[in-house]
Amino acid sequence: MRKKLNINPKFSGAAAAQRTVFETVSLSSDSLFQRAISILHTSYLDSASEHGFQYSQVTLVKNDIFLNEYKTFYQEKKASNYTQEELQETYGFLLFETENQAKLVCQRGLCIGSSALTTLGDPAKGVYISKYSDYLHARPWYHGKSGYIVIFNLIKGKVKFVSENYTTNYTSPSSGYDCHVAANTNKVSHKTSHFRAFELSQYYLYELSGSTVTERPRQIHPYVIVAFQYREPKKMAAPAHKSILELNESGKKLFNWFF
């Protein structure tokens, strides 16, 4: 029989939402804009994605509650002799259709029960987030697709590699760990089917305190929201230069036309 896990709500969603401030920049020369785009570019699985995604706006998310809890999580794990690799900060990504949807998650924080994914762990006890910034949903991108990407700061902590579970008997969070990743995650490449790459490159994050599951894991917090549009990269063929030799009536060459 599974041990029942209680839920620790931490700060209420309303309290956290009131402490959230958004600052938007749209100038590509702005340092925040450049920083956000750099994170997205360096987090592509497929290098060709650089030619497909166009980013138009970056919104910084400020919330001192989330940030302080994030720092506290780091200090607690450091005191518990976590290694520097386990404490290293990285990024995760989530896709939203509208700016309001993205802002709502940034106000409330990423909470358990927010995902339909189930293969790495029970979504009612942890959160899912994408490792790659160009594999954010199960379907391939299409020309004209637009939306909003939230970049999260996260600390993976102690990672457990787990087999994918396709049953309804979901995998529970593992005591002594903070994150599940797919056992086959290292086999993912840009040649992997879009659906499988998305599925295998998820982080499943959770926070346990004894038998209590934290409603909003402290090791993850929203950093920025980025507006984007996807355009199908054009396959540019080398121009076929044809030369037409223009001759005068005497047969002498006058000039060449190239087109």
Side-chain angles (χ1 to χ4, degrees):
M1 179 179 294
R2 291 188 180 186
K3 181 168 61 176
K4 183 178 180 181
L5 296 176
N6 300 314
I7 305 298
N8 178 7
K10 290 285 182 183
F11 287 95
S12 70
Q18 292 174 359
R19 303 284 282 272
T20 305
V21 176
F22 298 105
E23 294 182 4
T24 300
V25 297
S26 56
L27 295 175
S28 59
S29 59
D30 187 274
S31 59
L32 173 63
F33 193 103
Q34 292 294 326
R35 172 64 176 157
I37 303 311
S38 176
I39 292 171
L40 291 166
H41 282 182
T42 56
S43 301
Y44 289 150
L45 173 62
D46 187 352
S47 59
S49 294
E50 186 173 351
H51 305 293
F53 287 93
Q54 297 181 345
Y55 305 107
S56 58
Q57 176 181 287
V58 173
T59 300
L60 178 65
V61 182
K62 293 184 176 181
N63 185 299
D64 56 348
I65 291 177
F66 297 159
L67 183 58
N68 289 336
E69 288 185 351
Y70 183 80
K71 291 178 178 178
T72 300
F73 177 89
Y74 175 90
Q75 294 298 333
E76 289 177 358
K77 299 307 179 184
K78 185 177 181 180
S80 299
N81 297 318
Y82 275 45
T83 67
Q84 283 302 308
E85 182 180 0
E86 291 167 340
L87 293 172
Q88 184 178 5
E89 183 176 75
T90 187
Y91 301 99
F93 309 90
L94 286 180
L95 172 67
F96 296 91
E97 295 297 318
T98 70
E99 186 175 19
N100 285 340
Q101 290 173 345
K103 285 186 173 180
L104 188 61
V105 169
C106 292
Q107 289 173 322
R108 295 177 175 175
L110 189 57
C111 298
I112 59 177
S114 60
S115 178
L117 297 172
T118 61
T119 54
L120 300 180
D122 188 344
K125 299 172 184 176
V127 299
Y128 282 83
I129 192 165
S130 296
K131 175 181 180 179
Y132 297 113
S133 61
D134 55 345
Y135 282 75
L136 302 177
H137 58 170
R139 300 177 305 279
W141 300 101
Y142 60 86
H143 185 78
K145 168 66 179 175
S146 63
Y148 296 82
I149 299 171
V150 178
I151 302 176
F152 290 81
N153 295 107
L154 65 89
I155 298 170
K156 287 183 289 184
K158 292 189 179 296
V159 175
K160 184 176 183 179
F161 291 88
V162 300
S163 299
E164 296 163 84
N165 180 358
Y166 291 97
T167 74
T168 55
N169 187 27
Y170 303 140
T171 304
S172 288
S174 302
S175 180
Y177 292 87
D178 311 285
C179 176
H180 288 176
V181 298
N184 292 320
T185 188
N186 293 328
K187 297 180 180 179
V188 175
S189 76
H190 69 279
K191 296 181 180 180
T192 307
S193 73
H194 194 100
F195 173 78
R196 285 294 287 159
F198 167 74
E199 192 176 50
L200 291 172
S201 60
Q202 294 294 306
Y203 295 130
Y204 173 71
L205 298 162
Y206 52 87
E207 186 178 2
L208 296 176
S209 178
S211 61
T212 300
V213 175
T214 301
E215 184 178 21
R216 176 170 41 78
R218 295 177 298 163
Q219 65 265 44
I220 180 170
H221 76 92
Y223 172 45
V224 293
I225 304 169
V226 183
F228 79 92
Q229 186 172 46
Y230 183 80
R231 296 184 181 278
E232 193 68 37
K234 295 180 180 179
K235 296 180 180 180
M236 299 294 290
H241 293 295
K242 296 182 180 179
S243 176
I244 297 179
L245 188 63
E246 296 291 343
L247 303 176
N248 64 9
E249 292 182 356
S250 64
K252 294 181 180 179
K253 181 169 69 172
L254 295 178
F255 48 81
N256 289 336
W257 286 101
F258 290 89
F259 66 93

